[in-house]
Amino acid sequence: MTALLHVDGLVKHFPIRKGMFGRAAGAVRAVDGVSFDVAVGETLALVGESGCGKSTTGRLVLRLLEPTSGKVFFDGEDLLALGDDEMRRRRRAIQVIFQDPFASLNPRMTVAQAITEALALHGLAEGRRRERVGEILSLVGLSPEHGRRYPHEFSGGQRQRIGIARALAVEPRIVVCDEPVSALDVSIQAQVVNLLRDLQKRFGLSYIFIAHDLAVVKFIATRIAVMYLGRIVEYADKRALFDEPRHPYTQALLASIPIPQPAVKRRRILLEGDVPSPSNPPSGCRFRTRCPYARPRCAEETPALQPDASGHAVACHFWPELVPREPILPGTAAIPRNPRLEALQAAFRHASG
Ligand code: SF4
């Protein structure tokens, strides 16, 4: 599998400055040594609680933030070595869809103007921009007539379609989708995720899909990287991660998807306490202050992210003895299903049909 995007040892520390002279007094370690690949046509999901560094990672890939260290290669080219002008040209290939499309759209511009602006920025479709705007709106399930309206005249789901249209207008190869469905109702989430999957198939797009919701990630991810306090703690194909979650944090995220039936006996892994401050992370394993299986070694030694022969990687000293014997997320008829997942699945079938 050839990597379209290769991220190697990415680090972003935000300095904390104090006093009137701005003296450095530590750093917020938002991203601390993150590596992954994204192949052509696949979706890598970055999953974790808020503050785990997933959105910062997305912004570093886009070079909306400059990393403290690390490498980002796109199609074999070192993006961090590019000057501003060269990077502006490459940006066409690496687009973004934000959680709140309303905030990223100029309220004084019509939808057509917003898309035309994106085309003009990259010198595209000169002489036929009006037709191109109509084509791209149709592609995302809107009509060319919608181009004459302003962002406030649309629903949340329609606005996200506009955000997708604006990103896709310039024909990118990879799109960073930063929590694109988190603010939407379940049925609308399904429509937007289905649209993203359809567009991916049609144009061979790659996605980095950032989310805290494993239920949504299940429908779009090819591979999943689970992040905690700036680091990847587990990295695997979607199926492997759902079937055999190895890290206690991944197990806790899966277990947090609610099943209301009290008759179902289910292994609960409770996440107690808050995520520690990234300016002062725990020694050794960063998850140890919330891990129910922590032992003295966990405070002394940082577990490395170790892949097995299949590529399933986990950063935990004791994972072989912690893998649950029963599935955490019910997936068989013998165990009652998660109604939220079922609602999503029904909505997906409806939207696909
Ligand atoms: Fe828990 Fe220790 Fe594994 Fe960290 S290394 S996840 S603290 S058991």
Side-chain angles (χ1 to χ4, degrees):
M1 191 168 51
T2 318
L4 178 64
L5 186 82
H6 174 62
V7 171
D8 187 16
L10 207 53
V11 172
K12 181 64 184 177
H13 292 176
F14 295 97
I16 302 169
R17 303 208 177 271
K18 281 197 177 149
M20 61 187 292
F21 298 111
R23 186 173 48 85
V28 173
R29 299 168 183 207
V31 175
D32 222 358
V34 162
S35 303
F36 56 79
D37 289 338
V38 185
V40 173
E42 82 159 351
T43 299
L44 175 77
L46 296 179
V47 182
E49 291 167 290
S50 124
C52 69
K54 53 193 190 305
S55 288
T56 305
T57 302
R59 281 169 167 73
L60 291 170
V61 167
L62 290 157
R63 272 194 73 184
L64 297 177
L65 287 171
E66 289 301 315
T68 306
S69 62
K71 295 276 184 197
V72 178
F73 293 93
F74 176 73
D75 218 2
E77 186 173 45
D78 183 355
L79 282 190
L80 303 181
L82 299 179
D84 289 348
D85 287 347
E86 286 170 305
M87 188 59 214
R88 212 166 293 129
R89 280 193 285 277
R90 296 308 181 283
R91 228 171 230 133
R92 177 185 160 194
I94 312 171
Q95 289 292 304
V96 61
I97 299 166
F98 292 107
Q99 176 180 355
D100 181 1
F102 195 56
S104 59
L105 291 167
N106 185 335
R108 286 187 289 273
M109 275 187 179
T110 64
V111 167
Q113 286 168 336
I115 296 172
T116 304
E117 182 190 53
L119 292 170
L121 199 65
H122 296 283
L124 297 172
E126 228 161 303
R128 59 175 300 273
R129 285 188 183 140
R130 186 193 294 242
E131 296 96 289
R132 180 70 185 135
V133 169
E135 286 165 15
I136 198 83
L137 286 175
S138 305
L139 208 58
V140 298
L142 297 171
S143 76
E145 187 271 325
H146 283 119
R148 290 198 285 275
R149 300 195 203 164
Y150 289 87
H152 73 269
E153 298 177 64
F154 293 91
S155 67
Q158 285 176 320
R159 277 184 209 147
Q160 198 49 287
R161 286 175 189 269
I162 295 164
I164 294 169
R166 196 168 192 272
L168 263 58
V170 300
E171 299 171 8
R173 297 179 66 195
I174 185 164
V175 183
V176 176
C177 307
D178 191 357
E179 305 242 18
V181 297
S182 302
L184 304 175
D185 290 344
V186 166
S187 60
I188 309 296
Q189 283 184 3
Q191 290 171 13
V192 171
V193 169
N194 260 350
L195 173 65
L196 286 170
R197 290 199 315 184
D198 288 348
L199 293 168
Q200 180 172 50
K201 267 194 216 137
R202 189 159 168 183
F203 299 110
L205 290 167
S206 303
Y207 294 138
I208 295 177
F209 193 97
I210 296 168
H212 57 266
D213 192 334
L214 279 163
V216 171
V217 160
K218 189 170 185 177
F219 290 103
I220 191 154
T222 316
R223 285 184 294 151
I224 299 174
V226 177
M227 290 188 70
Y228 187 79
L229 265 185
R231 289 188 177 153
I232 293 176
V233 296
E234 188 162 0
Y235 182 60
D237 284 348
K238 172 180 65 179
R239 173 161 292 196
L241 192 118
F242 275 82
D243 287 354
E244 191 191 277
R246 293 178 178 175
H247 196 283
Y249 181 57
T250 310
Q251 294 167 15
L253 288 182
L254 284 172
S256 70
I257 297 175
I259 300 177
Q261 291 92 335
V264 178
K265 286 208 167 48
R266 193 176 181 219
R267 187 176 175 219
R268 300 293 298 175
I269 303 114
L270 294 176
L271 271 183
E272 287 178 356
D274 297 326
V275 180
S277 167
S279 61
N280 186 23
S283 63
C285 174
R286 292 187 175 185
F287 187 55
R288 72 177 167 82
T289 53
R290 301 171 82 199
C291 179
Y293 313 108
R295 300 166 208 186
R297 183 181 170 197
C298 306
E300 290 155 13
E301 205 182 310
T302 304
L305 186 68
Q306 296 278 12
D308 65 12
S310 72
H312 189 158
V314 60
C316 171
H317 297 308
F318 305 108
W319 74 263
E321 56 192 274
L322 305 179
V323 174
R325 278 189 281 273
E326 300 293 328
I328 290 177
L329 192 68
T332 66
I335 307 171
R337 307 282 296 267
N338 174 1
R340 179 141 184 270
L341 265 181
E342 286 188 332
L344 265 172
Q345 283 165 340
F348 271 88
R349 278 197 296 275
H350 178 72
S352 301

